[in-house]
Amino acid sequence: MSGDEWDLIVVGAGGAGLSAAASAAERGGRVLVLEAEDAVGGSMSLAAGMFTAAGTRVQEALGVEDSPDRFFQHYMDLNQWRLQPGLIRTFCEATAPTLHWMMDLGLEVPAQRSTNAHMPGLGHAGVEDVWRGHTPAGEGFAVVELLERTMRTHGAELALGARVDGLVVEGGRVCGVRVGGEEARAGAVVVASGGFAHDRDLVDRYFPAARAAGEHLFVVAGAGSRGDHLRLAEQVGAGLTGQGWGLLLVTAYLQRHHHWDSGFPPLSRINVNSTGQRFMDEDVSYAVSAGILADQEGPCWMVFDEAARLSLPEGFLDWTPERVHEEAEAGRTHRADDLAALAAAIGVPGSTFVRTVERWNQTLPHGLDPEFQRHLTLAAKGVATPLTELGTPPFYAALLVPGELVCTHTGLRIDSRARVLDVRGDVVAGLYAAGEAGGGVLGNRYVGGGNAIANSLTLGRIAGLDGLEHAGRSA
Ligand SMILES: Cc1cc2nc3c(=O)[nH]c(=O)nc-3n(C[C@H](O)[C@H](O)[C@H](O)COP(=O)(O)OP(=O)(O)OC[C@H]3O[C@@H](n4cnc5c(N)ncnc54)[C@H](O)[C@@H]3O)c2cc1C
């Protein structure tokens, strides 16, 4: 590594880093990618790969009318305009070209409607104004393979087990990185080291909402998500943005894994708050459910009956009939032979709770949920199984928590060319950031599905191309 001079050094070989590296290498840049772990991919390789993009060929083939303008309006509105419009406009305009670039390289996104995040095609996660979530065949792993192959084909070099721990700065300009005692120099450096989900102190500091899950918090992000971007930022006085934001998914406390492994809770269930009433569409988009939970006072509970427990399929790590039984035997999941006793066990008013269950039994199991419109959400997810009444004892209640930490949004402040800005808003010469390491695109509301990957791949590409141009070797 030492002694070489590169056009571009990329810190991290996840979604943003591989996108930056493949983009720059394809244009003739001499690119070095440094990856802390023993394998490429980061969170990107664990993801479904859903990519939100507006005005794409896939949408057009399916007759979905969309445009960057429409995406911009929706994105800003959902985030209550708490993001910088210039950066978001660039992002919205660049999503479709980024997706098309990867499709031209061989990524397969079939022109078919997809009703879940793992089904290739065009889907949605419940908060979009039009179908915008593009899931590739082979999911996130396929994206990683494609981009790694592309960058290697064009001569980029990759070093694994190389955790960057410092930037080389000369005359106010970033001109390289340090790994242990070694140094590598380049015309520009892209920090694409992901988020900080695995550093509990940083999570406490920059995403305190995760504290609400207490001991039940579990992290599904890639192991390399340790917040190194924040440490590198300190060295050059980079500004930060996105404090307090990230993506937490609501789970029952007993869930410890991403749903691919954990399985899903029973469909026939309701969520109640401390008043003993339902307070949400239990299937509402993961993009907004943690906010709804945070609005409740006191503990909230997932409630289901014995028939629902027995309906759970085998073969998963958390949501199986046996696991729920064990939790109830251990007293961690409440269980009672009648609803009044269950209400007493979880400390909610008994008569209200019984009425809540009666109302549920009279509504959604017969097709409609007038209060929360959950029938529409289920229909949009393609759920055809009718939901059953809550009526077979014993009854169960499991504590709800914002338990699953997926990604974090506090990153280095960047402009619309992905250049890092310092605390005064001036460009830090030679330094770029993208993905979760770059702040300002991922906001207070996740614009599911595919917001984080769109950010990672799109801003990665912008950083790679601008960084190369800046290094003066663009073909
Ligand atoms: C299970 C799961 C499913 C998901 N599904 C989706 C989805 O379908 N759609 C969506 O939009 N988002 C999804 N996400 C979120 C999305 O995958 C991430 O936000 C995105 O991959 C982040 O990209 P990144 O490049 O910033 O980080 P990563 O992909 O995590 O890459 C960062 C890389 O940098 C490396 N690194 C860290 N520090 C250093 C260092 N100091 N030196 C060198 N290398 C370093 C890491 O090891 C890692 O390889 C999902 C996340 C998870 C965990």
Side-chain angles (χ1 to χ4, degrees), residues 236-248:
V236 290
L240 298 182
T241 189
Q243 291 93 331
W245 300 340
L247 181 62
L248 282 165

Side-chain angles (χ1 to χ4, degrees), residues 10-17 34-37 39-52 117 162-165 192-195 220-229 232 247 258 260 286 404-407 434-437 442 446 449-456:
V10 179
V11 182
L34 300 168
E35 166 55 49
E37 303 295 301
V40 298
S43 289
M44 182 72 212
S45 59
L46 307 173
M50 203 190 238
F51 180 127
T52 193
R163 184 173 175 185
V164 171
D165 54 22
S193 52
V220 293
S225 305
R226 301 186 202 92
D228 285 353
H229 62 300
L232 297 175
L247 181 62
H258 191 53
W260 295 5
Y286 60 84
E404 179 171 345
L405 177 52
V406 181
C407 58
E436 289 177 49
L442 294 176
Y446 192 81
N451 193 171
I453 284 178
N455 169 49
S456 158

Side-chain angles (χ1 to χ4, degrees), residues 79-163:
N79 279 292
Q80 299 160 307
W81 286 75
R82 290 157 81 183
L83 298 172
Q84 200 189 78
L87 175 59
I88 300 306
R89 182 161 301 274
T90 302
F91 165 68
C92 292
E93 285 171 354
T95 52
T98 302
L99 184 74
H100 292 159
W101 166 63
M102 291 191 299
M103 288 174 73
D104 291 342
L105 287 172
L107 192 71
E108 216 187 302
V109 183
Q112 64 181 16
R113 298 267 181 173
S114 151
T115 49
N116 72 70
H118 307 294
M119 178 182 169
L122 186 69
H124 66 109
V127 294
E128 302 91 334
D129 51 343
V130 297
W131 292 48
R132 221 175 247 138
H134 298 72
T135 301
E139 307 192 354
F141 193 69
V143 175
V144 168
E145 272 189 337
L146 175 82
L147 293 177
E148 187 190 355
R149 192 166 60 243
T150 303
M151 73 169 211
R152 283 188 188 278
T153 303
H154 293 281
E157 286 191 28
L158 168 71
L160 297 174
R163 184 173 175 185

Side-chain angles (χ1 to χ4, degrees), residues 146-450:
L146 175 82
L147 293 177
E148 187 190 355
R149 192 166 60 243
T150 303
M151 73 169 211
R152 283 188 188 278
T153 303
H154 293 281
E157 286 191 28
L158 168 71
L160 297 174
R163 184 173 175 185
V164 171
D165 54 22
L167 298 169
V168 179
V169 187
E170 280 171 10
R173 173 187 184 80
V174 174
C175 51
V177 300
R178 289 199 181 85
V179 179
E182 283 193 80
E183 203 173 283
R185 301 175 71 86
V189 171
V190 179
V191 178
S193 52
F196 52 84
H198 282 287
D199 185 316
R200 197 62 195 255
D201 290 340
L202 290 175
V203 171
D204 263 4
R205 180 165 170 198
Y206 291 112
F207 192 22
R211 287 185 204 150
E215 59 173 316
H216 304 301
L217 189 75
F218 64 98
V219 178
V220 293
S225 305
R226 301 186 202 92
D228 285 353
H229 62 300
L230 300 172
R231 297 177 190 102
L232 297 175
E234 276 177 25
Q235 204 192 323
V236 290
L240 298 182
T241 189
Q243 291 93 331
W245 300 340
L247 181 62
L248 282 165
L249 307 190
V250 173
T251 60
Y253 80 89
L254 59 87
Q255 188 174 329
R256 307 296 301 170
H257 305 87
H258 191 53
H259 61 251
W260 295 5
D261 298 317
S262 75
F264 291 91
L267 265 182
S268 295
R269 67 184 191 283
I270 58 171
N271 294 345
V272 300
N273 62 18
S274 59
T275 71
Q277 297 177 74
R278 285 178 72 209
F279 60 94
M280 67 187 293
D281 165 357
E282 289 81 357
D283 284 295
V284 75
S285 172
Y286 60 84
V288 293
S289 55
I292 300 172
L293 185 67
D295 283 347
Q296 309 307 308
E297 276 184 28
C300 296
W301 306 90
M302 180 190 292
V303 175
F304 50 93
D305 69 359
E306 182 69 348
R309 179 182 79 85
L310 294 174
S311 73
L312 291 168
E314 300 290 347
F316 290 102
L317 293 176
D318 296 322
W319 283 110
T320 62
E322 293 70 34
R323 175 76 196 285
V324 174
H325 176 74
E326 281 164 25
E327 291 296 310
E329 286 291 294
R332 292 185 290 264
T333 292
H334 295 277
R335 180 175 57 192
D337 286 334
D338 62 59
L339 293 170
L342 190 66
I346 61 175
V348 304
S351 58
T352 308
F353 181 64
V354 170
R355 276 298 300 134
T356 297
V357 175
E358 280 170 4
R359 233 181 354 260
W360 159 264
N361 284 344
Q362 287 157 7
T363 54
L364 193 53
H366 300 282
L368 287 180
D369 178 14
E371 287 174 288
F372 295 101
Q373 304 285 291
R374 188 174 162 199
H375 54 284
L376 296 179
T377 313
L378 290 168
K381 288 185 179 180
V383 175
T385 329
L387 271 53
T388 53
E389 294 186 12
L390 265 163
T392 312
F395 299 97
Y396 298 85
L399 184 70
L400 282 170
V401 287
E404 179 171 345
L405 177 52
V406 181
C407 58
T408 57
H409 298 183
T410 309
L412 280 59
R413 201 172 146 208
I414 51 172
D415 65 8
S416 55
R417 288 165 55 188
R419 298 180 302 179
V420 171
L421 304 177
D422 67 16
V423 287
R424 290 168 316 187
D426 288 329
V427 168
V428 177
L431 190 63
Y432 292 77
E436 289 177 49
V441 174
L442 294 176
N444 50 323
R445 281 290 164 264
Y446 192 81
V447 188

